[in-house]
């Protein structure tokens, strides 16, 4: 998958140590790139994705070099777009004039057309563009050099080799009763949705694939708690003798007269302590 020691360390910072961890690192949101617009078609305050070539870039410093703004200027043949990032001058190292860049964000004004702190991806030559463009694209929580684009590429490589052999932990009866799709297609569709997938359902985690994986998480938690309860019931605890003398002693400790509800709770505690099972 192109993961060496350095990238493995970056993945570990995200809690990803195995291919299974990677496949369960679900997208934090989705971006509809089936219709990448032109810069000229951008509308004030409306989020959109556009694509253009960097024609200029640079860092401007203010207040005796304590404040800065890094800016790139994109051109797609229809208009130009200014993208700005405040107080992150190191971003100048990530871009070069001539780079083809995807930009997602909301224009804040049109003179000139400007987006502050947009999400960006550089379109690299020789790469399989089909996983980054002309589709609903998964957006992952990246970190440092481990960008959402890199995670998307790693995810596509993993999905292409291992999903068919993934075991399905949900019993068939549970899947049938709750009308759940199988695990392998659910993982594939969650990361790279079908071309016709409604973006609204994806955004609200309501597609059959997403529902299946969410159900699986709750099922696993519930099964784990049930096993703990069973183990606790099977264990032998300490059986206490609650005599009338003990009851009177407890009443004397309390600085108030207990209500009916408090008496009921005290009785439940006493019953639990008399039981040989752990509370």
């Amino acid at each position: 998958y192109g993961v060496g020691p350095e990238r493995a360390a970056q993945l570990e910072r995200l809690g990803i140590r195995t291919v299974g961890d990677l496949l369960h690192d679900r997208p934090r949101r989705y971006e509809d790139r089936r219709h990448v617009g032109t810069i000229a078609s951008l509308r004030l305050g409306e989020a959109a994705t556009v694509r253009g070539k960097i024609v200029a870039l640079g860092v401007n410093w203010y207040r005796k070099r304590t404040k800065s703004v890094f800016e790139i200027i994109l051109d797609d043949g229809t208009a130009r777009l200014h993208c700005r990032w405040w107080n992150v001058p190191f971003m100048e190292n990530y871009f070069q004039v001539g780079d083809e860049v995807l930009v997602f964000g909301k224009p804040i004004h049109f003179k000139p057309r400007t987006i502050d702190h947009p999400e960006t991806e550089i379109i690299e030559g020789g790469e399989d563009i089909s996983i980054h463009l002309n589709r609903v694209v998964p957006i992952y929580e990246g970190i440092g050099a481990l960008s959402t684009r890199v995670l998307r590429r790693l995810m596509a490589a993993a999905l292409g080799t291992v999903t068919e052999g993934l075991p399905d932990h949900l019993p068939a009866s549970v899947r049938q009763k709750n009308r759940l799709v199988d695990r392998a297609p659910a993982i594939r569709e969650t990361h790279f949705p079908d071309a016709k997938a409604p973006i609204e359902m994806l955004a609200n985690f309501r597609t059959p694939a997403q529902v299946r994986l969410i159900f699986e998480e709750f099922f696993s938690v519930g099964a784990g708690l049930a096993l703990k309860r069973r183990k606790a019931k099977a264990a032998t605890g300490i059986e206490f003798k609650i005599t009338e003398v003990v009851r009177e002693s407890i009443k004397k400790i309390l600085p108030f007269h207990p209500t009916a509800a408090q008496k009921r709770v005290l009785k439940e505690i006493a019953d639990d302590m008399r039981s040989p099972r752990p509370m």
Side-chain angles (χ1 to χ4, degrees):
Y1 303 128
V3 177
E6 184 176 346
R7 182 153 290 168
Q10 294 169 344
L11 287 166
E12 190 162 0
R13 290 171 63 188
L14 291 174
I16 298 172
R17 297 175 180 83
T18 67
V19 174
D21 292 338
L22 179 67
L23 293 175
H24 284 88
D25 181 37
R26 293 202 292 272
R28 60 186 174 90
R29 68 175 183 84
Y30 298 87
E31 195 172 297
D32 193 345
R33 293 183 182 171
R34 291 171 290 194
H35 309 288
V36 176
T38 63
I39 294 175
S41 68
L42 287 171
R43 306 179 103 175
L44 197 64
E46 291 186 13
T49 303
V50 295
R51 177 180 180 176
K53 185 173 290 187
I54 297 178
V55 295
L57 57 78
V59 179
N60 291 318
W61 293 91
Y62 305 92
R63 297 184 184 177
K64 298 180 180 179
R65 295 184 69 84
T66 60
K67 302 289 183 182
S68 69
V69 58
F70 168 64
E71 183 174 25
I72 62 174
I73 301 175
L74 298 180
D75 193 314
D76 70 347
T78 69
R80 289 192 169 186
L81 174 66
H82 294 244
C83 300
R84 304 184 303 185
W85 292 266
W86 299 90
N87 301 316
V88 283
F90 57 84
M91 287 193 67
E92 187 176 23
N93 301 321
Y94 298 160
F95 300 95
Q96 294 181 3
V97 171
D99 282 347
E100 193 83 18
V101 181
L102 273 172
V103 171
F104 175 80
K106 295 180 181 180
I108 58 170
H109 52 72
F110 274 1
K111 293 185 179 180
R113 289 179 176 82
T114 304
I115 298 178
D116 280 352
H117 292 271
E119 293 189 25
T120 60
E121 285 188 26
I122 298 173
I123 305 299
E124 299 174 4
E127 189 177 8
D128 184 4
I129 300 300
S130 65
I131 64 172
H132 307 295
L133 284 174
N134 303 320
R135 66 177 306 139
V136 175
V137 173
I139 305 297
Y140 300 96
E141 191 71 55
I143 181 171
L146 196 65
S147 66
T148 186
R149 186 182 186 85
V150 171
L151 286 168
R152 192 181 304 128
R153 188 172 65 238
L154 293 175
M155 202 70 70
L159 287 168
T161 57
V162 302
T163 48
E164 293 302 333
L166 285 177
D168 201 320
H169 303 303
L170 287 181
S173 58
V174 174
R175 296 200 302 271
Q176 292 166 5
K177 180 181 178 181
N178 294 280
R179 299 179 181 178
L180 299 172
V181 299
D182 291 340
R183 189 168 183 239
I187 290 175
R188 281 198 305 272
E189 284 290 316
T190 295
H191 289 291
F192 292 99
D194 182 82
K196 297 179 181 179
I199 192 69
E200 296 81 11
M201 288 185 70
L202 285 164
N204 292 297
F205 303 97
R206 289 171 48 209
T207 67
Q210 292 170 320
V211 169
R212 156 62 209 248
L213 296 182
I214 291 169
F215 183 96
E216 183 178 307
E217 285 190 8
F218 279 105
F219 185 86
S220 297
V221 171
L225 291 174
L227 288 172
K228 283 187 176 181
R229 283 195 297 269
R230 178 182 292 183
K231 186 176 180 181
K233 287 181 179 180
T236 302
I238 301 172
E239 185 177 352
F240 291 91
K241 301 295 183 183
I242 307 296
T243 64
E244 196 58 36
V245 175
V246 173
R247 292 180 188 277
E248 291 301 320
S249 298
I250 292 172
K251 288 180 181 179
K252 290 179 181 178
I253 292 171
L254 295 176
F256 56 85
H257 185 71
T259 64
Q262 289 168 337
K263 288 179 180 178
R264 186 172 66 251
V265 171
L266 287 170
K267 181 180 181 302
E268 290 174 359
I269 293 172
D271 291 343
D272 281 337
M273 294 183 71
R274 279 199 301 264
S275 169
R277 294 191 301 271
M279 293 173 63

